[in-house]
Every structure is written in structure tokens, then in C-alpha cells.
Amino acid sequence: MSVQDTALGLIDACVAQVNYPLPAQDALEQCRLVSHRGEHDNRAVPENSLAAFDAARRAGVWGIECDIRWTADLVPIICHDSSPHRVFGLKTPLSMLSFSELRLAVPQIPTLEEVIAEFSKDCHFMLELKDGYWPEPERQQAHLADLLSGLRAGWDYHVLALQAGLFRYAGFAPTTCYLPVAEFNIRQFSALAIKRGYAGVAGHYLLLTRELHRRHRRRGQKLGSGFPRSRSGLFRELNRGTDWIFTNHAVALQHERDQALALFFNEH
């Protein structure tokens, strides 16, 4: 576990000890959880796999976040890292494997086309563009545009990036579906989102201050926060009016949301 993961875990542990009030009924009804790389443990269920996404869907989770990379023959596949090594043990970079070679070596890694075909009717897609291998950007953009042509930008999917420059590869979609994801440069990305008319901005929940909420609300933009783990963390974000809650614990938090919402109906 990295130092950053340890620090974030300690923050989450502290937040979990705070007794945040039950959110209003409309906040619970409008809750939009996003399963970060699907419901995975990277043991029985790998991240960014069809099984991980299906687990989130079956629990009623609103959205799934997944990472787009490319094989050597320019097939868009779903994998966070530039190689399958961390999750699957294969060190060869994806950009050096044809899709047929990858499918043979690591069949659990799905294509973007497979994910769209399986989940587009049930889940909102948060599609993150990854840096590193865009040798034929016009051809790659055209391929993405074709795969997403049956979906509505901003309604059925958003395009995410940790680097704003990557949005140039999504020129087929309106800027209103772009969502920059800040690590620590939240103010820079906030200003950029406002200037360019993006969907809004996303970042760690501690970075999304009340000032940022007000600033983007005035412009009709949305806020995405990551990565609460606990019931308290969920309630904190819903009480603040956060639009999209990205989490590695979406199934558990969906259950917490459902239980909390049931309280309102049990009163009558």
C-alpha cells in the first residue's frame, strides 16, 4: 500500500467517526454513486472487468467508471495501467500486444465495445481517457465516436481525464460532457472547467470546498467527489449536494443509501 493510500485511509477512518445527519429524502433519491473500476477486490474479482461492473449493476449502483487504453492494433480496451502486470501478472505493455494476443493471455480484460453492449442500458458510463498511446489520434477518435454513437453525451456517458490535454482525443463529444479529475490541482481544474464550459470538476472530497460548490452551482455545473468508504462519508457528500460520488465501495454504500431511504417510507 502506498503512502497516499495509507493517508487517505486514515482520513476516511476519521470521517467515519463523525455522525453526519440523515440526508433529506430528495438527496437520497438523487444519489448518484459511481463504482470506481467496478466492484472489485483484485483477487476473486479483478478491477475493470465485466464481473466487477456486473456486481455494481446488480446492486443498483447508478454509474461505473472505467479506463480506456489501446492495444497495438488499436482496439480500445478497459484497463487502468499501461500493462496488466499489477492485476494479472503480465508485464508486457498493452501497446505491444495485439487484441488477439491480449485476449489469449488475459481474457478478463474487456473491450470498450463489450462494456457498452453489456451495460449501456443499465449504467451511466464515466469513461476515463488514459495517456500514453495515441499513435493515430484521428483514427482512434473516429473509433470511439463510432462506439459511442448510440449513446447520448452527458446523459449516458461523460469523458474523464486527469490531464485536460487528453480531452483533445474526445473531440467527437461536446465539452459539456468533459469532467477533469483533479489530484491536488483542484483550483486550476475548477477555473478551466468554468472557462471551457465543461460538465464540472471532480476531486477528493476534502478538496471540494463550499466555495467550489457555490462557484460551480452558479454556472449550472456539477461536482464529483472521491472516494468515501463509509456511511458517514456518504452522508457528508449527500448533505453537501455532491452530484456524483465515486467510490471503491459502491455496493456497500448503495446498501446504506437504500436503507436510509427506506426510513422515509417506513414512517408512513
Side-chain angles (χ1 to χ4, degrees):
M1 180 177 292
S2 68
V3 174
Q4 181 179 0
D5 288 339
T6 301
L8 293 178
L10 290 173
I11 292 170
D12 288 326
C14 292
V15 170
Q17 301 306 310
V18 181
N19 187 24
Y20 291 98
L22 180 71
Q25 180 176 346
D26 61 342
L28 289 164
E29 290 175 339
Q30 295 167 21
C31 174
R32 298 291 183 264
L33 288 169
V34 180
S35 183
H36 183 242
R37 307 181 204 169
E39 186 73 11
H40 63 278
D41 58 12
N42 283 339
R43 293 185 296 274
V45 181
E47 65 186 50
N48 273 322
S49 64
L50 295 179
F53 299 141
D54 185 52
R57 174 176 62 181
R58 285 187 284 106
V61 175
W62 176 77
I64 54 176
E65 184 272 349
C66 53
D67 306 284
I68 299 175
R69 289 192 181 273
W70 300 85
T71 60
D73 49 350
L74 299 186
V75 175
I77 48 90
I78 305 302
C79 187
H80 180 271
D81 301 347
S82 60
S83 84
H85 180 238
R86 175 176 57 85
V87 179
F88 300 104
L90 180 64
K91 294 184 178 181
T92 309
L94 297 166
S95 60
M96 296 179 64
L97 293 166
S98 68
F99 174 66
S100 60
E101 291 171 332
L102 178 64
R103 178 51 53 97
L104 184 62
V106 191
Q108 298 97 321
I109 295 179
T111 65
L112 175 60
E113 183 175 12
E114 289 169 336
V115 170
I116 291 173
E118 178 63 28
F119 300 100
S120 61
K121 294 180 180 179
D122 307 307
C123 299
H124 187 95
F125 294 134
M126 293 292 189
L127 305 172
E128 183 177 336
L129 301 178
K130 306 302 288 188
D131 196 8
Y133 190 64
W134 294 86
E136 299 182 44
E138 291 185 5
R139 176 184 168 190
Q140 289 168 274
Q141 279 197 71
H143 195 4
L144 292 179
D146 181 59
L147 290 174
L148 295 168
S149 60
L151 304 181
R152 300 166 297 171
W155 290 93
D156 299 319
Y157 73 91
H158 284 79
V159 179
L160 281 57
L162 290 168
Q163 303 170 42
L166 292 174
F167 289 130
R168 68 183 181 275
Y169 299 128
F172 56 86
T175 58
T176 50
C177 80
Y178 296 174
L179 185 67
V181 181
E183 294 182 287
F184 299 102
N185 52 340
I186 187 69
R187 292 193 173 275
Q188 176 189 351
F189 272 15
S190 171
L192 191 65
I194 290 170
K195 179 180 179 180
R196 297 184 178 175
Y198 291 165
V201 69
H204 190 273
Y205 59 80
L206 289 185
L207 299 177
L208 298 177
T209 63
R210 291 181 180 178
E211 176 193 351
L212 285 175
H213 271 266
R214 288 193 295 267
R215 181 187 303 171
H216 289 277
R217 292 275 174 261
R218 287 197 298 266
R219 292 165 174 84
Q221 294 180 321
K222 297 183 181 296
L223 281 298
S225 70
F227 294 97
R229 305 182 183 186
S230 64
R231 178 177 184 270
S232 293
L234 172 64
F235 283 10
R236 178 185 188 272
E237 293 309 294
L238 291 178
N239 283 324
R240 296 196 320 151
T242 302
D243 300 283
W244 302 312
I245 302 173
F246 294 78
T247 175
N248 291 309
H249 301 79
V251 170
L253 294 189
Q254 183 69 38
H255 181 66
E256 293 287 359
R257 175 266 187 191
D258 293 344
Q259 283 193 320
L261 186 58
L263 295 175
F264 290 93
F265 295 101
N266 292 336
E267 290 178 353
H268 302 288

